[in-house]
Amino acid sequence: MLELAILGFLYDHSLHGYELRKRITALTGHVRPVAESTLYPAIKRLEKAGLLARETQPGAVAAPRHVLSLTDAGRNELRRRLAEPARADITDENRWFTVLAFLRHLDEASAQAAVLRRRLDFLQEPASFFYEGDRPLRAEELDDPFRQGILTIARATSRAELAWLRKTLASLG
Amino acid sequence: MLELAILGFLYDHSLHGYELRKRITALTGHVRPVAESTLYPAIKRLEKAGLLARETQPGAVAAPRHVLSLTDAGRNELRRRLAEPARADITDENRWFTVLAFLRHLDEASAQAAVLRRRLDFLQEPASFFYEGDRPLRAEELDDPFRQGILTIARATSRAELAWLRKTLASLG
DNA sequence: TCGTAGTACTTCGAGTCCGATGTATTGTGT
DNA sequence: ACACAATACATCGGACTCGAAGTACTACGA
């Protein structure tokens, strides 16, 4: 997730870690903030794996900056992760949004459409949060107003996303 | 999150680990499955902290079951976690849904309302995913269809949840 | 000139999670 | 009679994450 965001942001521009941090915070920080002590080790991991390169600049403002850029292997890896997301990247909205945020980096519309279709399939699975035996319960069948809320909100999200997915899939041809 | 779900499910009934696992899977498993090797250590943690008690039954169906039940400390701890959720429990939808799933266990409507109000405040903060400088961008200003999708879906969710929150807060008095 | 805020990165330890693997029992199909 | 699935729990190592603290430098107001 974090790694995907790092690769995704660096695909467009080289950035130093601090700027990267600000962009990741803007993207997902209001939901799930990223600690510095998580970001910098992640950068090191990716660097060690040969996915990104580091060039140290003398500090213009403060401490020396490490300007990061994707290697060819890094670009390939980003495309691979976007084209073949893990199951959790499809099902978990937080992860899914990160995939969506960078999906334009896939070159082919058909590959983009394939990813959207996986999300579509997932949303169409008959899944609920609450069951009676094996039968999924509908909001109206619950007497707990908070659990009703969960189903109400999830249904609204699902509806909106299905509409958007179908529209976008149609426009991708 | 996991711990909250364990405490929440055990508030109503004593359950053995395997049954607990099935209920947690039903609740959040389609989004984020819980591995057995995560659940059982979590149970041990809570037991060690004195929040739940274990009674071993001879295996009716298979291996001996450990029937788990909340101690008084466990009941207090659940109510405490529900009444004073961490920031991430409010902002991350996955965690928030878990709080909602058990919020009825808070005795007082005013305490329930206070939690809902925290979510309301969060949703009303002007936050986006994409910025131009400091200014949040609207869906129409993006030319990336996938990023437009993120904003479109997030807005639909937000609208539905705000409506539900206001309705429910009104009915809580 | 002194404190504070912001930039930019690092280290450490503790906790948490997961995949893989293992053990033991009962029920079901063939 | 035997394999296999399901029940039920446990252990282990490796990876990831976080909070706390630290380093170091610049800019700016009082």
Side-chain angles (χ1 to χ4, degrees):
Chain A
M1 198 49 356
L2 176 56
E3 295 186 1
L4 186 66
I6 294 173
L7 296 174
F9 278 121
L10 291 179
Y11 197 91
D12 280 329
H13 315 281
S14 296
L15 298 169
H16 55 277
Y18 202 74
E19 177 62 26
L20 202 46
R21 179 166 192 265
K22 282 199 288 189
R23 300 208 183 191
I24 292 172
T25 297
L27 184 64
T28 59
H30 55 293
V31 169
R32 191 174 262 286
V34 175
E36 298 195 339
S37 53
T38 304
L39 175 62
Y40 288 109
I43 290 173
K44 277 191 189 166
R45 277 203 304 279
L46 296 175
E47 195 189 0
K48 202 171 172 185
L51 303 182
L52 46 86
R54 173 190 304 236
E55 192 192 351
T56 301
Q57 280 186 346
V61 196
R65 289 174 164 181
H66 298 191
V67 177
L68 306 164
S69 55
L70 284 192
T71 61
D72 287 343
R75 300 185 155 262
N76 289 335
E77 177 65 13
L78 173 63
R79 284 190 289 253
R80 201 193 57 73
R81 292 192 193 203
L82 289 173
E84 300 160 21
R87 163 104 184 146
D89 294 333
I90 300 293
T91 62
D92 184 338
E93 202 183 47
N94 295 334
R95 289 168 174 253
W96 170 240
F97 275 6
T98 309
V99 170
L100 272 187
F102 301 108
L103 195 57
R104 58 161 173 197
H105 293 323
L106 282 187
D107 296 326
E108 300 184 20
S110 62
Q112 295 171 337
V115 177
L116 296 192
R117 232 172 274 118
R118 281 188 61 194
R119 176 75 176 176
L120 185 65
D121 291 342
F122 165 66
L123 289 181
Q124 285 173 338
E125 287 170 15
S128 176
F129 293 85
F130 310 106
Y131 295 82
E132 190 181 71
D134 276 346
R135 192 175 62 87
L137 291 172
R138 329 185 88 249
E140 302 78 34
E141 299 176 85
L142 300 169
D143 46 348
D144 178 340
F146 308 113
R147 294 194 166 191
Q148 280 179 358
I150 295 178
L151 293 184
T152 304
I153 296 158
R155 198 189 292 169
T157 306
S158 188
R159 248 199 254 283
E161 184 159 0
L162 284 171
W164 175 80
L165 280 169
R166 295 202 179 101
K167 193 195 78 183
T168 307
L169 278 168
S171 81
L172 286 175
Chain B
M1 196 50 353
L2 175 57
E3 295 185 1
L4 186 64
I6 294 173
L7 297 174
F9 278 120
L10 291 179
Y11 197 91
D12 280 330
H13 314 281
S14 296
L15 298 170
H16 55 276
Y18 202 74
E19 177 63 27
L20 203 45
R21 179 168 191 262
K22 284 199 288 189
R23 301 210 179 189
I24 293 172
T25 298
L27 184 64
T28 59
H30 56 291
V31 168
R32 191 176 263 286
V34 175
E36 296 196 341
S37 53
T38 305
L39 175 62
Y40 289 108
I43 289 173
K44 278 193 189 168
R45 276 202 302 280
L46 296 175
E47 195 189 359
K48 202 171 171 183
L51 304 182
L52 46 87
R54 171 190 307 235
E55 192 193 351
T56 302
Q57 280 185 344
V61 195
R65 289 171 163 182
H66 299 191
V67 177
L68 307 163
S69 55
L70 284 191
T71 62
D72 286 344
R75 302 187 151 259
N76 288 335
E77 178 64 15
L78 174 64
R79 284 191 288 253
R80 202 194 55 73
R81 291 192 195 204
L82 289 172
E84 300 160 21
R87 163 100 184 149
D89 294 333
I90 300 294
T91 63
D92 183 336
E93 204 184 44
N94 296 334
R95 290 167 173 254
W96 171 240
F97 274 7
T98 308
V99 170
L100 272 187
F102 301 108
L103 195 56
R104 61 166 167 190
H105 293 321
L106 281 185
D107 297 325
E108 301 184 18
S110 62
Q112 295 172 337
V115 177
L116 295 192
R117 233 173 272 117
R118 281 188 62 194
R119 176 74 176 178
L120 185 66
D121 290 344
F122 165 66
L123 290 180
Q124 285 173 338
E125 286 171 15
S128 177
F129 295 84
F130 310 107
Y131 294 83
E132 190 179 72
D134 276 346
R135 191 174 63 86
L137 291 172
R138 330 184 88 247
E140 303 77 36
E141 299 176 84
L142 299 170
D143 46 348
D144 178 339
F146 308 114
R147 293 193 167 192
Q148 279 178 358
I150 294 177
L151 293 184
T152 304
I153 297 159
R155 200 189 291 168
T157 306
S158 188
R159 247 199 255 284
E161 184 159 0
L162 285 170
W164 174 79
L165 280 170
R166 294 201 179 101
K167 192 193 79 183
T168 307
L169 278 168
S171 81
L172 286 174

PDB file of all heavy atoms in Angstrom, chain B residues 146-164:
ATOM      1  N   PHE B 146      -9.851   7.862 -13.137  1.00  0.00           N
ATOM      2  CA  PHE B 146      -9.787   7.001 -11.959  1.00  0.00           C
ATOM      3  C   PHE B 146      -9.764   7.832 -10.683  1.00  0.00           C
ATOM      4  O   PHE B 146     -10.400   7.490  -9.693  1.00  0.00           O
ATOM      5  CB  PHE B 146      -8.578   6.069 -12.048  1.00  0.00           C
ATOM      6  CG  PHE B 146      -8.531   5.318 -13.353  1.00  0.00           C
ATOM      7  CD1 PHE B 146      -7.516   5.560 -14.263  1.00  0.00           C
ATOM      8  CD2 PHE B 146      -9.509   4.391 -13.676  1.00  0.00           C
ATOM      9  CE1 PHE B 146      -7.490   4.885 -15.479  1.00  0.00           C
ATOM     10  CE2 PHE B 146      -9.489   3.713 -14.882  1.00  0.00           C
ATOM     11  CZ  PHE B 146      -8.467   3.962 -15.793  1.00  0.00           C
ATOM     12  N   ARG B 147      -9.039   8.919 -10.739  1.00  0.00           N
ATOM     13  CA  ARG B 147      -9.049   9.816  -9.580  1.00  0.00           C
ATOM     14  C   ARG B 147     -10.404  10.502  -9.433  1.00  0.00           C
ATOM     15  O   ARG B 147     -10.866  10.725  -8.309  1.00  0.00           O
ATOM     16  CB  ARG B 147      -7.924  10.847  -9.716  1.00  0.00           C
ATOM     17  CG  ARG B 147      -6.548  10.192  -9.631  1.00  0.00           C
ATOM     18  CD  ARG B 147      -5.428  11.185  -9.448  1.00  0.00           C
ATOM     19  NE  ARG B 147      -4.197  10.494  -9.070  1.00  0.00           N
ATOM     20  CZ  ARG B 147      -3.100  11.092  -8.615  1.00  0.00           C
ATOM     21  NH1 ARG B 147      -3.071  12.412  -8.486  1.00  0.00           N
ATOM     22  NH2 ARG B 147      -2.037  10.384  -8.301  1.00  0.00           N
ATOM     23  N   GLN B 148     -11.023  10.798 -10.558  1.00  0.00           N
ATOM     24  CA  GLN B 148     -12.405  11.296 -10.487  1.00  0.00           C
ATOM     25  C   GLN B 148     -13.290  10.296  -9.767  1.00  0.00           C
ATOM     26  O   GLN B 148     -14.144  10.675  -8.957  1.00  0.00           O
ATOM     27  CB  GLN B 148     -12.966  11.524 -11.905  1.00  0.00           C
ATOM     28  CG  GLN B 148     -12.545  12.818 -12.555  1.00  0.00           C
ATOM     29  CD  GLN B 148     -13.090  12.950 -13.977  1.00  0.00           C
ATOM     30  OE1 GLN B 148     -13.751  12.046 -14.483  1.00  0.00           O
ATOM     31  NE2 GLN B 148     -12.797  14.073 -14.612  1.00  0.00           N
ATOM     32  N   GLY B 149     -13.068   9.027 -10.077  1.00  0.00           N
ATOM     33  CA  GLY B 149     -13.850   7.970  -9.435  1.00  0.00           C
ATOM     34  C   GLY B 149     -13.684   7.975  -7.935  1.00  0.00           C
ATOM     35  O   GLY B 149     -14.658   7.869  -7.189  1.00  0.00           O
ATOM     36  N   ILE B 150     -12.458   8.108  -7.478  1.00  0.00           N
ATOM     37  CA  ILE B 150     -12.218   8.154  -6.035  1.00  0.00           C
ATOM     38  C   ILE B 150     -13.072   9.237  -5.393  1.00  0.00           C
ATOM     39  O   ILE B 150     -13.784   9.001  -4.419  1.00  0.00           O
ATOM     40  CB  ILE B 150     -10.718   8.417  -5.743  1.00  0.00           C
ATOM     41  CG1 ILE B 150      -9.870   7.242  -6.218  1.00  0.00           C
ATOM     42  CG2 ILE B 150     -10.497   8.672  -4.255  1.00  0.00           C
ATOM     43  CD1 ILE B 150      -8.377   7.449  -6.030  1.00  0.00           C
ATOM     44  N   LEU B 151     -13.019  10.424  -5.971  1.00  0.00           N
ATOM     45  CA  LEU B 151     -13.772  11.543  -5.381  1.00  0.00           C
ATOM     46  C   LEU B 151     -15.276  11.319  -5.491  1.00  0.00           C
ATOM     47  O   LEU B 151     -16.028  11.628  -4.558  1.00  0.00           O
ATOM     48  CB  LEU B 151     -13.369  12.857  -6.059  1.00  0.00           C
ATOM     49  CG  LEU B 151     -11.922  13.310  -5.809  1.00  0.00           C
ATOM     50  CD1 LEU B 151     -11.671  14.664  -6.439  1.00  0.00           C
ATOM     51  CD2 LEU B 151     -11.618  13.364  -4.325  1.00  0.00           C
ATOM     52  N   THR B 152     -15.707  10.790  -6.614  1.00  0.00           N
ATOM     53  CA  THR B 152     -17.138  10.535  -6.809  1.00  0.00           C
ATOM     54  C   THR B 152     -17.655   9.549  -5.761  1.00  0.00           C
ATOM     55  O   THR B 152     -18.692   9.770  -5.122  1.00  0.00           O
ATOM     56  CB  THR B 152     -17.376   9.942  -8.216  1.00  0.00           C
ATOM     57  OG1 THR B 152     -16.843  10.834  -9.186  1.00  0.00           O
ATOM     58  CG2 THR B 152     -18.858   9.715  -8.470  1.00  0.00           C
ATOM     59  N   ILE B 153     -16.907   8.450  -5.584  1.00  0.00           N
ATOM     60  CA  ILE B 153     -17.332   7.418  -4.638  1.00  0.00           C
ATOM     61  C   ILE B 153     -17.279   7.947  -3.206  1.00  0.00           C
ATOM     62  O   ILE B 153     -18.213   7.766  -2.426  1.00  0.00           O
ATOM     63  CB  ILE B 153     -16.442   6.172  -4.786  1.00  0.00           C
ATOM     64  CG1 ILE B 153     -16.601   5.581  -6.186  1.00  0.00           C
ATOM     65  CG2 ILE B 153     -16.767   5.144  -3.719  1.00  0.00           C
ATOM     66  CD1 ILE B 153     -15.444   4.702  -6.614  1.00  0.00           C
ATOM     67  N   ALA B 154     -16.195   8.633  -2.896  1.00  0.00           N
ATOM     68  CA  ALA B 154     -16.042   9.151  -1.535  1.00  0.00           C
ATOM     69  C   ALA B 154     -17.157  10.142  -1.215  1.00  0.00           C
ATOM     70  O   ALA B 154     -17.682  10.173  -0.099  1.00  0.00           O
ATOM     71  CB  ALA B 154     -14.676   9.813  -1.371  1.00  0.00           C
ATOM     72  N   ARG B 155     -17.530  10.934  -2.212  1.00  0.00           N
ATOM     73  CA  ARG B 155     -18.578  11.928  -1.970  1.00  0.00           C
ATOM     74  C   ARG B 155     -19.925  11.253  -1.737  1.00  0.00           C
ATOM     75  O   ARG B 155     -20.681  11.643  -0.849  1.00  0.00           O
ATOM     76  CB  ARG B 155     -18.673  12.888  -3.164  1.00  0.00           C
ATOM     77  CG  ARG B 155     -19.362  14.181  -2.830  1.00  0.00           C
ATOM     78  CD  ARG B 155     -19.616  14.996  -4.068  1.00  0.00           C
ATOM     79  NE  ARG B 155     -18.369  15.513  -4.653  1.00  0.00           N
ATOM     80  CZ  ARG B 155     -18.328  16.063  -5.867  1.00  0.00           C
ATOM     81  NH1 ARG B 155     -19.411  16.148  -6.622  1.00  0.00           N
ATOM     82  NH2 ARG B 155     -17.182  16.531  -6.335  1.00  0.00           N
ATOM     83  N   ALA B 156     -20.203  10.210  -2.516  1.00  0.00           N
ATOM     84  CA  ALA B 156     -21.470   9.490  -2.349  1.00  0.00           C
ATOM     85  C   ALA B 156     -21.544   8.852  -0.962  1.00  0.00           C
ATOM     86  O   ALA B 156     -22.566   8.916  -0.279  1.00  0.00           O
ATOM     87  CB  ALA B 156     -21.614   8.424  -3.433  1.00  0.00           C
ATOM     88  N   THR B 157     -20.416   8.233  -0.541  1.00  0.00           N
ATOM     89  CA  THR B 157     -20.373   7.622   0.785  1.00  0.00           C
ATOM     90  C   THR B 157     -20.620   8.667   1.855  1.00  0.00           C
ATOM     91  O   THR B 157     -21.413   8.474   2.778  1.00  0.00           O
ATOM     92  CB  THR B 157     -19.004   6.982   1.039  1.00  0.00           C
ATOM     93  OG1 THR B 157     -18.722   6.082  -0.024  1.00  0.00           O
ATOM     94  CG2 THR B 157     -18.984   6.233   2.348  1.00  0.00           C
ATOM     95  N   SER B 158     -19.927   9.759   1.719  1.00  0.00           N
ATOM     96  CA  SER B 158     -19.995  10.816   2.704  1.00  0.00           C
ATOM     97  C   SER B 158     -21.424  11.351   2.827  1.00  0.00           C
ATOM     98  O   SER B 158     -21.952  11.510   3.931  1.00  0.00           O
ATOM     99  CB  SER B 158     -19.035  11.924   2.301  1.00  0.00           C
ATOM    100  OG  SER B 158     -18.941  12.880   3.315  1.00  0.00           O
ATOM    101  N   ARG B 159     -22.044  11.604   1.688  1.00  0.00           N
ATOM    102  CA  ARG B 159     -23.429  12.090   1.678  1.00  0.00           C
ATOM    103  C   ARG B 159     -24.348  11.117   2.419  1.00  0.00           C
ATOM    104  O   ARG B 159     -25.121  11.527   3.279  1.00  0.00           O
ATOM    105  CB  ARG B 159     -23.899  12.192   0.217  1.00  0.00           C
ATOM    106  CG  ARG B 159     -24.147  13.600  -0.242  1.00  0.00           C
ATOM    107  CD  ARG B 159     -25.026  13.562  -1.489  1.00  0.00           C
ATOM    108  NE  ARG B 159     -24.269  13.835  -2.719  1.00  0.00           N
ATOM    109  CZ  ARG B 159     -23.862  15.054  -3.080  1.00  0.00           C
ATOM    110  NH1 ARG B 159     -24.097  16.095  -2.307  1.00  0.00           N
ATOM    111  NH2 ARG B 159     -23.209  15.227  -4.216  1.00  0.00           N
ATOM    112  N   ALA B 160     -24.252   9.843   2.063  1.00  0.00           N
ATOM    113  CA  ALA B 160     -25.142   8.846   2.670  1.00  0.00           C
ATOM    114  C   ALA B 160     -24.895   8.758   4.169  1.00  0.00           C
ATOM    115  O   ALA B 160     -25.830   8.669   4.967  1.00  0.00           O
ATOM    116  CB  ALA B 160     -24.920   7.487   2.009  1.00  0.00           C
ATOM    117  N   GLU B 161     -23.631   8.799   4.545  1.00  0.00           N
ATOM    118  CA  GLU B 161     -23.331   8.647   5.968  1.00  0.00           C
ATOM    119  C   GLU B 161     -23.756   9.881   6.753  1.00  0.00           C
ATOM    120  O   GLU B 161     -24.266   9.752   7.872  1.00  0.00           O
ATOM    121  CB  GLU B 161     -21.842   8.362   6.172  1.00  0.00           C
ATOM    122  CG  GLU B 161     -21.548   8.117   7.635  1.00  0.00           C
ATOM    123  CD  GLU B 161     -20.277   7.360   7.890  1.00  0.00           C
ATOM    124  OE1 GLU B 161     -19.580   7.006   6.904  1.00  0.00           O
ATOM    125  OE2 GLU B 161     -19.958   7.127   9.069  1.00  0.00           O
ATOM    126  N   LEU B 162     -23.556  11.054   6.182  1.00  0.00           N
ATOM    127  CA  LEU B 162     -23.989  12.272   6.872  1.00  0.00           C
ATOM    128  C   LEU B 162     -25.492  12.252   7.108  1.00  0.00           C
ATOM    129  O   LEU B 162     -25.965  12.592   8.198  1.00  0.00           O
ATOM    130  CB  LEU B 162     -23.591  13.511   6.061  1.00  0.00           C
ATOM    131  CG  LEU B 162     -22.110  13.890   6.115  1.00  0.00           C
ATOM    132  CD1 LEU B 162     -21.786  14.974   5.100  1.00  0.00           C
ATOM    133  CD2 LEU B 162     -21.711  14.344   7.513  1.00  0.00           C
ATOM    134  N   ALA B 163     -26.235  11.837   6.099  1.00  0.00           N
ATOM    135  CA  ALA B 163     -27.692  11.774   6.245  1.00  0.00           C
ATOM    136  C   ALA B 163     -28.070  10.798   7.359  1.00  0.00           C
ATOM    137  O   ALA B 163     -28.905  11.115   8.216  1.00  0.00           O
ATOM    138  CB  ALA B 163     -28.336  11.346   4.922  1.00  0.00           C
ATOM    139  N   TRP B 164     -27.410   9.655   7.346  1.00  0.00           N
ATOM    140  CA  TRP B 164     -27.733   8.652   8.376  1.00  0.00           C
ATOM    141  C   TRP B 164     -27.330   9.144   9.762  1.00  0.00           C
ATOM    142  O   TRP B 164     -28.077   8.967  10.731  1.00  0.00           O
ATOM    143  CB  TRP B 164     -27.027   7.334   8.046  1.00  0.00           C
ATOM    144  CG  TRP B 164     -27.208   6.329   9.143  1.00  0.00           C
ATOM    145  CD1 TRP B 164     -28.313   5.564   9.357  1.00  0.00           C
ATOM    146  CD2 TRP B 164     -26.281   6.031  10.197  1.00  0.00           C
ATOM    147  NE1 TRP B 164     -28.129   4.792  10.482  1.00  0.00           N
ATOM    148  CE2 TRP B 164     -26.899   5.059  11.013  1.00  0.00           C
ATOM    149  CE3 TRP B 164     -25.000   6.475  10.529  1.00  0.00           C
ATOM    150  CZ2 TRP B 164     -26.270   4.530  12.146  1.00  0.00           C
ATOM    151  CZ3 TRP B 164     -24.376   5.960  11.648  1.00  0.00           C
ATOM    152  CH2 TRP B 164     -25.000   4.997  12.448  1.00  0.00           C
TER     153      TRP B 164
END
